Structures are given as structure tokens and as C-alpha cells.
Amino acid sequence: MLDRFYMPALGLAALAAIALALVWPQGLGDRSPAPFGHTPDQRTPQAQAAMRRAAESAQRDASHAREAVRSLQTQAIAPSQ
């Protein structure tokens, strides 16, 4: 008797999961099918430019930090008098 209610409920849950998969984005930055969704924020030119600036800034900061450590190591090994 429990199967009489369980199996239809399971079928409805499966259909609901399929319907949700049709309208929900499939991963970070991916677009939903045509009638649903919109262009992801990560793909807009402004967001890509901001991400590029952030990456360049991080590389610059890392380079300055490496240079500072290298300078301190050089001073520790051969201090200038």
C-alpha cells in the first residue's frame, strides 16, 4: 500500500528535478537554455576587464613582495656598510 503513494511521489520528484535542471544555470558562468536565463555576469566585458585588472594587480603585488624578500635576503647575506 505504501508503494501506491511512494512511486508517484518519486516520479513527481524526478520530474521536478528535471524541470529545475532546465531553468537553473548548469554551473558557474554557464547559460541556461534559450528561453530561460541571461548572459552570465562573468562574461560581460566590464566583468572580464575587472577580473583582468584584479589578476594584473595580484601579479604586481606578488612581484613587489618577491622583490622585497629578495632585497631583505641580499641585505642579510651581504649587508652594505
Side-chain angles (χ1 to χ4, degrees):
M1 172 139 159
L2 189 57
D3 287 346
R4 207 165 74 185
F5 298 112
Y6 177 71
M7 293 308 235
L10 188 62
L12 287 175
L15 288 176
I18 291 169
L20 181 63
L22 288 174
V23 298
W24 198 265
Q26 279 77 45
L28 184 63
D30 284 344
R31 185 181 170 155
S32 290
F36 313 105
H38 54 81
T39 302
D41 292 335
Q42 293 92 348
R43 291 192 185 165
T44 61
Q46 298 87 0
Q48 288 191 349
M51 288 188 290
R52 193 176 312 109
R53 283 191 306 270
E56 290 169 355
S57 175
Q59 286 177 350
R60 229 177 304 124
D61 291 346
S63 175
H64 289 154
R66 278 194 295 273
E67 188 61 38
V69 168
R70 197 173 295 128
S71 172
L72 289 172
Q73 288 175 342
T74 302
Q75 290 177 2
I77 293 173
S80 58
Q81 295 174 357

